């Protein structure tokens, strides 16, 4: 086992034992609400969503089919970018399901869970972060409620505990588009994002 893989296994153990906020200490639909990340731990690309839903908690993987958001993520975000699911790293801003209705995480919950996101990003040292929704926009860039104005605009993340910031690209969350809004905007943003993905693959800086 490589040191990097061991480090991620340790992060996963910390996730599943975390009770830093009230979310970690209760069951949702009778299930442990914790869901850690999945994907390639050496990937240049990190995709960050909001928080786990029902299907994710069952599978213990973020944005996973047959959940509608998981299907949309695979088919309408990754596929048009020419990316396979197993070549990217996928995680959530909040690693616990909030409740049975999947309410939006509170600002205090985002801040309490940030140490988990920080630890992942410091190990990944990604070339590009893709933020899907307002929650990761706040968690990564400390911008509150700006996804409708800022989607599709490359920016820099906050500075993490390794002293680095990273290129960060905001998209609408799959669930938002599935509710009937932002499909055309997302498709346009994906075209621009694909250019950035290709630059990273070619070894160009962002």
């Amino acid at each position: 086992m490589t040191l990097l893989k061991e480090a991620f296994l340790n992060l996963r153990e910390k996730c599943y034992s975390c009770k830093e906020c009230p979310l970690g200490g209760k069951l949702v639909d009778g299930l442990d609400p914790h869901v850690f990340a999945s994907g390639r731990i050496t990937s240049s690309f990190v995709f960050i969503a909001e928080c786990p839903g029902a299907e994710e908690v069952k599978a213990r993987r973020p944005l996973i089919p047959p959940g509608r958001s998981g299907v949309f993520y695979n088919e309408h975000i990754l596929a048009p970018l020419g990316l396979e699911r197993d070549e990217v790293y996928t995680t959530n801003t909040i690693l616990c399901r909030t409740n049975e209705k999947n309410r939006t995480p509170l600002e205090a919950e985002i801040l309490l869970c940030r140490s988990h996101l920080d630890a992942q990003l410091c190990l990944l040292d990604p070339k590009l972060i893709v933020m899907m929704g307002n929650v990761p926009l706040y968690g990564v860039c400390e911008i509150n409620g700006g996804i409708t104005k800022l989607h599709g605009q490359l920016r820099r993340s906050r500075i993490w505990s390794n002293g680095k910031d990273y290129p960060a690209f905001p998209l609408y969350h799959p669930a938002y588009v599935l509710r009937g809004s932002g499909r055309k905007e997302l498709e346009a943003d994906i075209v621009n994002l694909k250019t950035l993905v290709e630059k990273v693959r070619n070894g160009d800086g962002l």
Side-chain angles (χ1 to χ4, degrees):
M1 181 184 299
T2 65
L3 290 176
L4 183 61
K5 185 175 181 179
E6 184 177 1
F8 272 98
L9 288 175
N10 289 335
L11 289 185
R12 186 174 68 180
E13 289 181 10
K14 288 181 180 178
C15 163
Y16 286 120
S17 63
C18 180
K19 292 180 174 57
E20 288 294 316
C21 79
L23 295 179
K26 64 180 182 179
L27 301 179
V28 181
D29 285 333
L31 298 173
D32 185 327
H34 299 83
V35 176
F36 192 60
S38 68
R40 184 179 296 178
I41 60 176
T42 57
S43 180
S44 297
F45 307 107
V46 177
F47 287 75
I48 305 176
E50 297 192 351
C51 60
E55 295 297 334
E56 297 169 78
V57 167
K58 292 175 185 176
R60 284 201 156 185
R61 291 180 62 195
L63 283 178
I64 192 75
R68 294 178 69 214
S69 289
V71 172
F72 189 95
Y73 173 54
N74 287 351
E75 295 182 356
H76 299 284
I77 294 179
L78 294 182
L81 293 172
L83 293 169
E84 298 290 338
R85 182 67 186 251
D86 62 0
E87 68 177 301
V88 304
Y89 186 89
T90 306
T91 191
N92 280 302
T93 313
I94 298 291
L95 298 184
C96 283
R97 189 180 179 197
T98 53
N99 64 9
E100 290 81 358
K101 295 182 179 180
N102 299 328
R103 68 159 172 80
T104 302
L106 305 174
E107 182 177 340
E109 292 165 346
I110 297 171
L111 295 175
L112 284 168
C113 207
R114 184 177 278 170
S115 62
H116 294 289
L117 185 59
D118 183 286
Q120 292 173 80
L121 291 173
C122 288
L123 284 175
L124 289 157
D125 197 26
K127 303 299 183 184
L128 177 63
I129 298 171
V130 179
M131 308 167 290
M132 295 178 285
N134 272 318
V135 172
L137 180 61
Y138 181 72
V140 172
C141 292
E142 299 180 325
I143 297 172
N144 205 344
I147 195 71
T148 55
K149 293 181 179 179
L150 300 177
H151 68 88
Q153 301 176 35
L154 184 66
R155 27 196 344 103
R156 303 297 298 188
S157 76
R158 68 183 294 271
I159 297 174
W160 304 94
S161 61
N162 61 0
K164 296 183 179 181
D165 62 359
Y166 297 106
F169 191 91
L171 292 176
Y172 284 133
H173 191 280
Y176 178 80
V177 180
L178 285 166
R179 289 195 293 269
S181 301
R183 175 65 72 102
K184 290 183 179 179
E185 291 87 346
L186 178 70
E187 290 174 351
D189 291 344
I190 291 293
V191 172
N192 294 331
L193 179 56
K194 187 172 184 178
T195 300
L196 301 178
V197 168
E198 290 171 352
K199 282 185 177 181
V200 170
R201 281 178 158 169
N202 291 333
D204 299 330
L206 296 181

